[in-house]
Amino acid sequence: MRIAVCGGPYGNPYALQAFVDDARARGCERLYCLGDLGGFGADVNALWPILTGNGIECVAGNYDVAIARGDTDCGCGYRDAQDNAYAQLIYDHTLATTGRDFAAWMGTLPTERRETVDGVDLHMVHGSTLALNDFWWESLPEDQHRLRAEASGADVVLCTHSGLPWQRQVGRTLVVNVGVLGKPANDGRREVWYAVLDLDGGRPVAELVPLAYDWRAQAASMRAAGLPEVFTETIETGWWTTCLEILPPRERSRGRYHLYRSTLPSGFRPANDGWGETTTDALAGERPVVPLFGTAYFPSRLWIYTNFHCNLACDYCAVASSPKAAPRTLPAGTLRELVDEAVETGFTELYVTGGEPFLHPGIIDLLDHASERLPTVVMTNAMLLGGRRAAGLDALAGRRLTVQTSLDGATPATHDLHRGRGSWQRTMDGIRHLTGLGLPPRVALTETPDNTREIPAVAELLAGLGLPAGHFAVRPMLRRGFAETGVEIGEDSSIPELTVTADGLHWHPAGADLATSPDLHLAPPGTPLATGRELVTERFFTARLGDGSLPRPVQCAI
């Protein structure tokens, strides 16, 4: 036998009727609904004739129990104040507009259903086998999956409530979260989801089915009823704009929006201590939800390490670069593809670094391509700009290209102490050379106990070379790579800045050396940048939800 199982119609008669039609067309002999008849859309009453007229066998969700009893809230199981505020708003609408005969019918529904069909033991619940409003997330730890499956012991457990479809084998039990019909699955698709199960021969096989329906009519009915636009926007875009805080980090990372604007902590003041743009466009407007990416909490700034070998061996290099370092050079073609992918993925700035990028044979072509597509900064020690690899750099003056270098003292003795004998003079020559090319560089000083007193003198020296005051900044030494002292940096204590190397994706450019910073490695080579964004977002919220805080910026763009 083939059966179809849906969850949460949520006052969406258009999707419920589409479910009936699609399931019948697929040869499903029995149709089931796992509850929550109201909860998002405007017209719950329109569901009743569809349910009864098509023989849909229902269990009650927490919403149906609450409406039948006339409770003061839905009992949805939310913990966040904003989640509960939106839940209360739509519950009040549903309670006020649901006919009492329909509400009484909801009160006759069982809260679970257990039966054997074609030799398969089926257990149908709303939330989980533990509680009516339990959220059975796909990302739960394995022991939590086993706990819920073993509480049933059925061959198949079918659930809903969370709104996100998934299936997996847990021991001998096939668990299927069938999704909901009332709203999209926070995946950018307007379709909703249900499940089809083939039970022939006692070997159940489940398929999660995307379902097209008249979403325009549903959105129009919600507007006509005066429901808030944030509800209608989800129907029209496929992205959740409510019920965000209940989402675990992994599920939250897959959506477009990640935070309620009202939950942004007032004490968090993202510093823009240097020149990296504080990308706050994503916070513009009045929408009550905001993304993480594109804000000061996760800048839309991509870092690319062209290579790791360097003509210097600075004793505090955070990524352990030196002439002896394994080059780990990214091919020119890969670099161009990364630039194009960065633009497509929504990055608005590019930082090209190393090692020493001007040891890469294709550096000028890369900077040419990159600065045509988005604002680009190249980090260099400015000592190799007269060589053949830098030929053609002058042609990039006037483009969206900035050159950044380092000067760690006003005198050779102070600078050379950490960077090597003769490096101060060659860096000064490089600064003059860049200025002559029409590319006056930005200059950063890494503060150490040896140069703190010289900072004013360095600023005066650079001003004498014609550099604007805004082209000089001071950055802290970070305890990574070769550095044995300095500011600690980790994914739980710094905002993320997605970084690409030959070893894959990393949380932050200061932790881009896999050997010395394995804790900040995110994914292997070839991982799409879009996936990297999700991984960063997931780790960000794992850290945030651990103690309720948000990490601080540790910027390498200075």
Side-chain angles (χ1 to χ4, degrees):
M1 178 179 289
R2 173 174 282 193
I3 66 172
V5 188
C6 73
Y10 293 169
N12 189 335
Y14 306 98
L16 183 61
Q17 185 60 58
F19 162 70
V20 172
D21 296 341
D22 193 70
R24 295 299 188 203
R26 292 172 183 270
C28 296
E29 300 171 57
R30 295 175 69 178
L31 310 183
Y32 297 88
C33 175
L34 301 183
D36 274 7
L37 304 180
F40 201 78
D43 192 0
V44 179
N45 290 318
L47 302 177
W48 199 14
I50 301 174
L51 293 167
T52 56
N54 292 281
I56 300 176
E57 302 171 66
C58 296
V59 300
N62 55 278
Y63 225 90
D64 315 314
V65 170
I67 292 293
R69 295 190 307 216
D71 290 350
T72 57
D73 63 66
C74 65
C76 295
Y78 298 132
R79 299 182 299 271
D80 176 75
Q82 190 64 61
D83 281 353
N84 277 315
Y86 282 122
Q88 191 65 49
L89 187 154
I90 196 64
Y91 179 77
D92 290 344
H93 168 84
T94 304
L95 183 63
T97 59
T98 301
R100 294 321 299 167
D101 288 346
F102 189 20
W105 181 84
M106 293 180 194
T108 68
L109 298 176
T111 56
E112 61 181 326
R113 187 183 188 99
R114 187 91 179 240
E115 63 179 289
T116 300
V117 179
D118 280 2
V120 177
D121 181 10
L122 298 175
H123 193 178
M124 301 183 193
V125 297
H126 177 69
S128 82
T129 55
L130 300 183
L132 186 63
N133 63 356
D134 180 41
F135 291 92
W136 198 339
W137 302 109
E138 185 179 11
S139 66
L140 285 177
E142 190 61 34
D143 63 329
Q144 292 297 308
H145 282 292
R146 287 198 306 271
L147 177 66
R148 288 160 174 78
E150 290 171 2
S152 167
D155 298 322
V156 179
V157 176
L158 298 149
C159 62
T160 179
H161 189 55
S162 72
L164 302 177
W166 55 269
Q167 63 170 308
R168 65 183 294 169
Q169 192 74 32
V170 182
R172 60 174 296 273
T173 300
L174 174 63
V175 181
V176 185
N177 190 314
V178 303
V180 296
L181 297 180
K183 66 177 182 179
N186 199 24
D187 55 6
R189 301 177 59 165
R190 298 186 183 97
E191 294 92 342
V192 294
W193 294 82
Y194 77 96
V196 169
L197 275 83
D198 286 302
L199 306 174
D200 292 340
R203 292 187 296 273
V205 176
E207 177 188 2
L208 293 167
V209 178
L211 177 68
Y213 74 100
D214 192 349
W215 57 268
R216 292 182 180 84
Q218 174 68 356
S221 73
M222 293 167 69
R223 285 200 175 93
L227 297 182
E229 278 296 308
V230 288
F231 288 87
T232 308
E233 184 177 350
T234 293
I235 297 296
E236 293 179 329
T237 67
W239 298 112
W240 286 13
T241 48
T242 59
C243 304
L244 293 179
E245 288 291 330
I246 195 63
L247 289 170
R250 186 177 305 167
E251 282 79 3
R252 194 183 301 202
S253 72
R254 296 169 182 166
R256 172 176 288 178
Y257 305 110
H258 307 112
L259 285 161
Y260 287 122
R261 188 182 300 274
S262 60
T263 67
L264 298 175
S266 59
F268 184 83
R269 292 289 183 268
N272 187 19
D273 301 321
W275 310 296
E277 296 294 329
T278 302
T279 51
T280 56
D281 286 348
L283 298 180
E286 299 181 356
R287 184 183 285 109
V289 290
V290 296
L292 183 67
F293 181 72
T295 73
Y297 306 94
F298 181 7
S300 53
R301 176 186 309 132
L302 181 69
W303 290 77
I304 296 178
Y305 275 75
T306 57
N307 60 292
F308 278 87
H309 58 312
C310 185
N311 55 307
L312 295 179
C314 304
D315 60 13
Y316 54 68
C317 181
V319 292
S321 288
S322 76
K324 297 180 179 180
R328 288 161 286 168
T329 302
L330 284 171
T334 300
L335 290 169
R336 289 178 65 91
E337 291 169 1
L338 280 169
V339 171
D340 296 340
E341 186 183 359
V343 174
E344 294 167 5
T345 310
F347 287 90
T348 59
E349 297 177 273
L350 179 67
Y351 276 69
V352 177
T353 188
E356 171 50 55
F358 282 90
L359 288 175
H360 193 290
I363 185 62
I364 296 300
D365 287 342
L366 168 63
L367 297 178
D368 180 31
H369 179 65
S371 61
E372 279 189 339
R373 304 224 58 191
L374 74 174
T376 301
V377 177
V378 58
M379 318 277 277
T380 174
N381 57 41
M383 296 170 62
L384 303 178
L385 303 181
R388 57 181 175 80
R389 289 191 176 94
L393 184 60
D394 57 332
L396 303 183
R399 300 275 289 278
R400 291 182 296 175
L401 176 67
T402 300
V403 181
Q404 179 172 323
T405 191
S406 300
L407 190 68
D408 286 349
T411 63
T414 307
H415 177 94
D416 293 357
L417 180 65
H418 296 283
R419 291 182 171 265
R421 179 177 295 183
S423 60
W424 184 88
Q425 186 59 57
R426 293 182 66 188
T427 297
M428 291 292 293
D429 292 343
I431 292 172
R432 294 187 180 94
H433 180 67
L434 287 166
T435 302
L437 294 180
L439 288 165
R442 300 191 309 209
V443 180
L445 177 146
T446 300
E447 186 173 5
T448 70
D450 308 294
N451 64 13
T452 297
R453 292 183 179 181
E454 289 191 16
I455 291 174
V458 173
E460 184 178 352
L461 175 65
L462 294 174
L465 295 176
L467 297 186
H471 277 224
F472 175 58
V474 179
R475 63 185 173 194
M477 185 166 63
L478 303 179
R479 189 172 177 270
R480 288 273 166 173
F482 290 149
E484 297 181 355
T485 62
V487 175
E488 298 286 349
I489 177 174
E491 65 181 46
D492 59 346
S493 63
S494 68
I495 63 168
E497 298 193 35
L498 191 63
T499 302
V500 187
T501 75
D503 294 317
L505 302 183
H506 308 258
W507 174 267
H508 195 277
D513 177 50
L514 181 58
T516 58
S517 296
D519 56 315
L520 296 184
H521 186 247
L522 292 171
T527 302
L529 297 180
T531 302
R533 282 177 47 178
E534 287 188 10
L535 291 170
V536 165
T537 303
E538 180 181 346
R539 288 200 184 191
F540 182 97
F541 281 107
T542 298
R544 176 198 169 206
L545 298 178
D547 62 9
S549 67
L550 282 169
R552 61 184 172 81
V554 177
Q555 294 179 320
C556 287
I558 61 174

